[in-house]
Amino acid sequence: MNFRFNSPNDPNPARLIESLRCLGYENYGAIADLIDNAIDAEAQRIVLRIYKENGAIRIIIADDGTGMDRDILDQALRLGSLTSKNPVSDLGKFGMGLVTASLSLARKTTLITKKNDVYLTSVADIDHVINSNKFEKYLENSAEKEIRLFETLLADAESGTVVILDNCDGLSNQNTTVFASTLRKRIGQIHRYFLRSHLSVTINDEQAKILDPLELDDPHTEVFSDDVYPVTIKTDDTERTENVKVRIVLIPDKPSAGEREIALGIKNQGFYILRNQREIQAAETLDAFTKHNDFNRMRGEIFLTGDLDKFVGIDFTKRSIVLDQSFKDQLLKHLKAQCTTIKSRESSKSRTKESEEIDELHKSAQRTIDQKAKLLVTPKTNIERRSGASSTSVSKPETKEKTTRANFRLTQPASVQRSKFVYANLGANGQIFECELQGRTIIITWNLQHPFYQRFILDQRSDGRLVTAVDYLIYSMAAAELTMTSDENIDQLNTLKAIISSNMRTLLT
């Protein structure tokens, strides 16, 4: 059926304007969007003022960018403005940011702009829209008071724009000092690459400093990888390949100097996603890994361009992303393996450190074993005597076959007298322990990567008696293995240990 669309369907301005205030903008994200507009206008300097006036909070954002002529200013306070955007470089999107960000914060928005020595002012007021039930604004040449405010904020700037947000009833924190301090840090992180390049942002007379979650300026930060990965994307009947840059680093356990701005911990580990060099999401796993203490030092950056917005699923608030499944799968192909490597490496490092902390417990077990050595059933080692001074050497356990050596007058078995516990990464699929006989000492090597060691040693290190008891158990198993080992049964013993280790791994994980 063909329909004849002949009835007006305009929205109700009074109801819509209030609804637009509830789009989910977070306060600091809204101001970051307003700063995006200034950056798109090629600003080098941005000045913010946040203060109370007549009991209400006022926010001013002034920039020395290109400014606006009348036609562009006419569009600036419209929903879905028709200003052109370059997706490859511009931070704005959809022409909605300035209006919706301002609405989420304040009831009245004023723009004062200068271009080609012409000053213009435009005002949008929620209360006027509600009372008149019309979407309309004020737009005229600037008054003397407005020009003075512009020049006070931007001094001798040849062009620029001042955004004034009055009656900011949308702020979650009404303490302007705390709000300004938090905003500096957020801008320092979100716009860090612009601050590093050319941009100056001052908030209540204090400059925003670069806040880099990857701590790239710290000489002890380890760059794990810094590569470009091809991703194939399809649009209608066409197919093209885009390169996505990903950088993964391991930040130091301790910063080079001073306090760490973005602390180690589960909350901050993960990938920081940037669109056109501007951070849009922080500390995401992207299903490449599961957050765990082994990833505390891992932080990554994924650099996307606006050309990929359709496949990244970014909205105009720039507060979240939903990756297209194909795009995500291709990206994960490059990320998952690296995350697995990092976890294995960091886990081993962590376990080694923890093992050093409980080394004294193992030494306690060693002392007790050595003191009771003559009461224990242990393998025999051959003490080979020369005609003069005696010496000891390691040989295979005795077999029925008699061994003779030309230079020795006498060979006699002697009991093991010592024990020693050491640690090594023998692999996640390795045995719980390995053992060998060195002289009269049984060397037991714990596998740090086996869950048995984690559960019964590391997790129980506060219970010294339990840890030493487990050491006694493993020592007894090692002594039995070395006593029974022969050329005929060595394969059977290895199979027995492999089965025990495999079953314990399965039951403990």
Side-chain angles (χ1 to χ4, degrees):
M1 178 182 289
N2 293 324
F3 294 98
R4 184 166 173 259
F5 296 94
N6 58 0
S7 179
N9 195 30
D10 297 330
N12 183 294
R15 287 182 177 271
L16 180 58
I17 198 74
E18 286 289 5
S19 299
L20 289 172
R21 305 197 74 198
C22 306
L23 289 173
Y25 254 118
E26 178 257 346
N27 290 165
Y28 304 107
I31 295 178
D33 264 13
L34 297 175
I35 290 175
D36 288 348
N37 291 332
I39 294 173
D40 284 346
E42 302 175 11
Q44 302 290 310
R45 177 166 53 105
I46 301 174
V47 178
L48 284 87
R49 298 273 191 270
I50 304 169
Y51 59 96
K52 286 188 176 180
E53 185 175 78
N54 299 323
I57 293 179
R58 167 180 264 202
I59 298 175
I60 298 177
I61 305 168
D63 72 78
D64 64 351
T66 56
M68 293 177 272
D69 59 25
R70 183 175 287 271
D71 289 339
I72 295 178
L73 181 59
D74 183 42
Q75 292 292 326
L77 288 177
R78 290 177 184 265
L79 287 167
S81 64
L82 298 177
T83 52
S84 60
K85 295 290 182 182
N86 182 350
V88 176
S89 59
D90 284 355
L91 306 185
K93 183 175 174 63
F94 299 123
M96 299 278 284
L98 191 151
V99 178
T100 52
S102 300
L103 284 173
S104 73
L105 296 166
R107 302 193 69 82
K108 179 181 176 182
T109 302
T110 301
L111 299 184
I112 307 170
T113 188
K114 175 187 179 183
K115 186 169 186 175
N116 298 327
D117 292 325
V118 176
Y119 291 88
L120 296 168
T121 298
S122 185
V123 181
D125 191 315
I126 290 175
D127 295 319
H128 174 80
V129 173
I130 292 173
N131 293 332
S132 66
N133 204 29
K134 294 180 181 178
F135 280 116
E136 54 187 11
K137 63 178 180 293
Y138 170 89
L139 198 166
E140 295 290 347
N141 289 335
S142 300
E144 186 63 32
K145 180 180 179 181
E146 295 156 357
I147 294 173
R148 284 200 305 271
L149 176 60
F150 181 99
E151 292 177 346
T152 298
L153 292 166
L154 295 172
D156 299 326
E158 295 182 0
S159 60
T161 299
V162 176
V163 179
I164 305 170
L165 306 176
D166 282 312
N167 193 4
C168 296
D169 59 348
L171 297 189
S172 57
N173 189 337
Q174 297 287 314
N175 184 318
T176 57
T177 300
V178 175
F179 187 88
S181 177
T182 303
L183 180 62
R184 274 187 219 101
K185 294 179 181 179
R186 290 292 298 274
I187 298 306
Q189 180 173 330
I190 291 172
H191 294 103
R192 57 185 176 274
Y193 282 99
F194 298 95
L195 294 174
R196 195 183 296 276
S197 174
H198 65 272
L199 185 66
S200 166
V201 178
T202 303
I203 303 173
N204 285 3
D205 299 320
E206 187 174 334
Q207 196 161 12
K209 298 178 181 178
I210 296 168
L211 185 55
D212 182 6
L214 276 68
E215 301 185 17
L216 294 174
D217 290 334
D218 191 316
H220 298 105
T221 292
E222 175 188 347
V223 178
F224 185 82
S225 65
D226 191 349
D227 293 294
V228 174
Y229 304 107
V231 177
T232 301
I233 56 178
K234 296 180 180 180
T235 55
D236 300 326
D237 296 328
T238 63
E239 183 177 288
R240 74 178 193 270
T241 299
E242 292 283 344
N243 289 322
V244 177
K245 177 180 170 63
V246 179
R247 176 189 290 130
I248 300 175
V249 306
L250 296 171
I251 64 173
D253 287 320
K254 297 179 180 179
S256 295
E259 293 280 325
R260 173 171 274 125
E261 289 285 357
I262 302 179
L264 287 169
I266 287 178
K267 177 183 176 183
N268 299 314
Q269 61 186 226
F271 294 97
Y272 292 71
I273 301 157
L274 296 94
R275 174 186 180 271
N276 294 345
Q277 306 297 316
R278 188 260 205 208
E279 184 182 293
I280 57 175
Q281 204 158 6
E284 291 294 321
T285 68
L286 298 180
D287 295 330
F289 70 99
T290 300
K291 291 206 172 189
H292 184 276
N293 286 335
D294 289 337
F295 291 103
N296 279 341
R297 297 204 304 133
M298 191 204 85
R299 294 177 186 170
E301 287 177 320
I302 300 177
F303 297 86
L304 306 171
T305 68
D307 273 342
L308 296 172
D309 284 350
K310 178 180 178 181
F311 308 95
V312 175
I314 178 175
D315 63 15
F316 62 85
T317 66
K318 297 191 280 288
R319 68 176 184 267
S320 63
I321 62 168
V322 180
L323 294 179
D324 172 82
Q325 193 60 51
S326 174
F327 184 94
K328 182 177 180 179
D329 289 344
Q330 293 179 71
L331 203 55
L332 287 178
K333 183 177 67 175
H334 303 291
L335 301 182
K336 274 189 171 181
Q338 296 186 69
C339 291
T340 299
T341 300
I342 289 171
K343 178 173 175 58
S344 177
R345 200 174 94 177
E346 291 297 294
S347 176
S348 298
K349 178 181 175 182
S350 174
R351 292 175 195 274
T352 300
K353 182 179 179 181
E354 289 172 334
S355 294
E356 290 171 353
E357 294 173 354
I358 61 171
D359 188 58
E360 185 54 40
L361 295 176
H362 292 309
K363 289 180 179 178
S364 175
Q366 288 174 199
R367 288 192 291 269
T368 301
I369 292 169
D370 294 349
Q371 289 168 4
K372 298 183 178 182
K374 293 189 177 183
L375 303 176
L376 302 175
V377 178
T378 61
K380 304 297 183 181
T381 182
N382 287 339
I383 307 300
E384 299 174 322
R385 295 182 178 175
R386 301 179 188 272
S387 56
S390 64
S391 64
T392 62
S393 65
V394 180
S395 69
K396 293 182 180 178
E398 286 187 310
T399 64
K400 292 181 180 179
E401 181 180 347
K402 186 176 181 181
T403 303
T404 60
R405 298 193 179 184
N407 296 330
F408 293 98
R409 298 175 57 191
L410 179 65
T411 298
Q412 68 177 31
S415 298
V416 167
Q417 296 294 319
R418 289 179 292 276
S419 62
K420 185 176 182 181
F421 291 91
V422 296
Y423 333 97
N425 296 315
L426 304 178
N429 296 319
Q431 297 183 2
I432 295 172
F433 72 94
E434 292 184 355
C435 58
E436 61 181 332
L437 200 56
Q438 291 185 6
R440 301 177 69 183
T441 301
I442 293 179
I443 307 293
I444 299 167
T445 304
W446 275 110
N447 182 2
L448 296 174
Q449 293 174 294
H450 197 286
F452 186 93
Y453 190 81
Q454 174 70 47
R455 181 72 65 86
F456 292 99
I457 300 296
L458 297 184
D459 289 353
Q460 306 299 328
R461 57 184 178 274
S462 60
D463 187 348
R465 293 183 63 189
L466 178 59
V467 171
T468 54
V470 175
D471 277 339
Y472 298 156
L473 170 64
I474 298 301
Y475 170 83
S476 300
M477 293 174 66
E481 177 185 341
L482 293 170
T483 299
M484 298 174 62
T485 299
S486 67
D487 292 340
E488 291 79 16
N489 66 11
I490 189 169
D491 289 339
Q492 291 178 316
L493 287 173
N494 284 335
T495 300
L496 177 66
K497 281 183 68 179
I499 292 172
I500 293 172
S501 298
S502 176
N503 285 343
M504 289 300 294
R505 183 184 307 107
T506 300
L507 292 169
L508 293 173
T509 55

